[in-house]
Amino acid sequence: MARPKNEWATKVLTLVQVGNLPAAIAQIKVAPTVADVTRLQGLLAKLPSSPALQQLHKVVEEERALLAAPRLHRSP
């Protein structure tokens, strides 16, 4: 059974909407793919701006850059 593509992003968005930003940041740091982080960025852009949300945007952008960068080594 195939999962919806944006399932992870909507779950993290729910964490942000209920105000649990530390849990959202922890989930962002273990994001499955760059595409998931990009989907989350799109969803976060629709939320009203706040200082905490601005900080979250920075975390999301940093994590997207890290996931998109080429790996320096392969895991065994």
Side-chain angles (χ1 to χ4, degrees):
M1 175 186 274
R3 284 203 241 167
K5 286 186 176 183
N6 61 355
E7 183 177 328
W8 178 85
T10 55
K11 287 181 179 182
V12 176
L13 179 67
T14 303
L15 288 172
V16 171
Q17 289 174 331
V18 298
N20 196 348
L21 293 180
I25 290 171
Q27 284 298 310
I28 292 166
K29 296 220 179 261
V30 294
T33 65
V34 176
D36 289 326
V37 176
T38 304
R39 276 188 218 98
L40 178 62
Q41 273 186 316
L43 293 172
L44 290 174
K46 297 176 185 176
L47 295 178
S49 185
S50 71
L53 196 57
Q54 293 298 326
Q55 183 65 29
L56 188 64
H57 281 294
K58 290 178 185 175
V59 170
V60 170
E61 183 58 38
E62 289 172 2
E63 190 61 31
R64 190 179 68 77
L66 286 172
L67 284 172
R71 303 287 186 237
L72 297 176
H73 66 280
R74 291 180 177 251
S75 62

